[in-house]
Amino acid sequence: ARAVRRIVEIMEEQVGANPLHAAVFHGDALEEAERLKEEVASRFNCVELYVTEFTPAMGVHTGPGLLGVAFYSDEVEERVGYDRPGSGSPAGQV
């Protein structure tokens, strides 16, 4: 439960109120993945939100119960640490 809370916190830090595209991945943990999907849907402005399984290659290394989220925001260039093309600042400078 603590790890799932941290995943959502990281998402909030990086996405804020911007439109979110996300996929919740699971390894033989569909019920937990559906709960995480509901949590994400209730906290974010979701444009896309899916639940899918990890590949067998991941499962063989982790075992059942694995959860993860892949996500991006339409406004990713607005985050601190990201430079806009043509801004004149070297990549990586904040």
Side-chain angles (χ1 to χ4, degrees), residues 16-87:
N18 294 317
L20 176 74
H21 303 260
V24 176
F25 294 88
H26 73 93
D28 198 26
L30 180 58
E31 289 181 20
E32 292 87 349
E34 289 290 346
R35 279 196 296 272
L36 179 53
K37 178 186 175 188
E38 290 171 12
E39 179 76 17
V40 169
S42 71
R43 290 182 178 229
F44 297 95
N45 176 15
C46 296
V47 176
E48 296 177 283
L49 182 56
Y50 303 99
V51 172
T52 189
E53 291 181 292
F54 273 110
T55 65
M58 288 293 293
V60 74
H61 295 290
T62 63
L66 179 66
L67 286 176
V69 180
F71 65 94
Y72 70 94
S73 169
D74 288 335
E75 303 296 325
V76 69
E77 70 273 3
E78 296 296 325
R79 294 191 328 221
V80 173
Y82 285 80
D83 295 316
R84 291 188 186 140
S87 67

